[in-house]
Structure formats: structure tokens, C-alpha cells
Amino acid sequence: MDRNKSNLEDIKQEDVVIDIKGKSMIVSFNMNALAELEERYGDVECGAKELEKGKIKDIRTFLWAALLVNDDNLTEKDVGKLIDITNIKDVVDAINKSFFGALPDPNETPSKT
């Protein structure tokens, strides 16, 4: 199955809890987060391609969208204050697990449950 041509029903939502600056936060790519990414990048697939380049601004944008589930009033600048050299690896891991983990495995046969 082509990952880019998957159906919404194939997506496996995976929320991740991460400790950022002593506060537990949920990293969730729910519909609101995906809509924000779509608005920023034109579509979510383009955003994912940009994220894979590892640019700091894209990491911040993806984390911001995913943290909106915790607080609708967060800004990207607020989120940028939460990320530093000591936690960026954990942040990227949480984004990858929640975002890319939510996409169907291209080698997996969809279950018929």
C-alpha cells in the first residue's frame, strides 16, 4: 500500500505523553492539529516532507500543532520556549511516534475488523 494514498480509516491515532520542562503534555495529531498543518503547508503531506528535513522551524510548528490539544491558546513562540538542546531529541521522537506512527505501515495488510 502506498503511504501517500492511504485512506483516513487506515490511520492509527497515537497520542504520546512527553515531559517538557517538568510538565507532562500530550502530543496529538488530532483533526485540529492536522488542519493547522494543512493551513501552514498547503497540505499535510508537504508538511511531513518539510519535517523530514529536520529544520528547527518545522519541528516547532509540528510540536505547536500537536500541543494544541493541551491548550488552544499556545503560540509557536510559546512552544519554541519549551524546546532547547536538552530536550529536542525527545521532542522529535515524540513527534515522529505520534505523527508518523499514526500513518499506516505501507507493508501492513489492513485489518478487516
Side-chain angles (χ1 to χ4, degrees):
M1 172 189 284
D2 183 352
R3 201 175 252 225
N4 297 326
K5 294 183 180 178
S6 63
N7 294 322
L8 286 178
E9 63 201 33
D10 294 332
I11 293 176
K12 299 172 234 164
Q13 177 71 35
E14 185 166 351
D15 293 348
V16 175
V17 177
I18 185 172
D19 183 63
I20 303 175
K21 303 281 184 175
K23 183 176 179 183
S24 287
M25 302 182 90
I26 298 169
V27 176
S28 177
F29 288 96
N30 61 21
M31 194 61 72
N32 290 332
L34 295 175
E36 290 292 344
L37 293 173
E38 186 176 75
E39 187 174 312
R40 299 290 166 127
Y41 293 100
D43 67 52
V44 176
E45 183 182 336
C46 287
K49 287 177 183 175
E50 290 301 310
L51 179 64
E52 288 177 339
K53 294 177 184 177
K55 293 181 182 175
I56 298 297
K57 189 170 184 175
D58 296 315
I59 293 168
R60 182 184 71 179
T61 298
F62 266 72
L63 183 61
W64 164 76
L67 291 181
L68 289 174
V69 70
N70 300 280
D71 181 353
D72 284 339
N73 296 314
L74 277 176
T75 67
E76 286 185 72
K77 297 259 183 190
D78 294 333
V79 172
K81 293 175 187 175
L82 299 173
I83 308 169
D84 60 33
I85 196 71
T86 65
N87 66 4
I88 194 164
K89 182 184 180 322
D90 293 336
V91 165
V92 170
D93 289 347
I95 291 169
N96 284 333
K97 184 175 182 183
S98 184
F99 185 78
F100 293 108
L103 297 174
D105 182 338
N107 300 315
E108 183 178 299
T109 303
S111 64
K112 301 285 184 198
T113 56

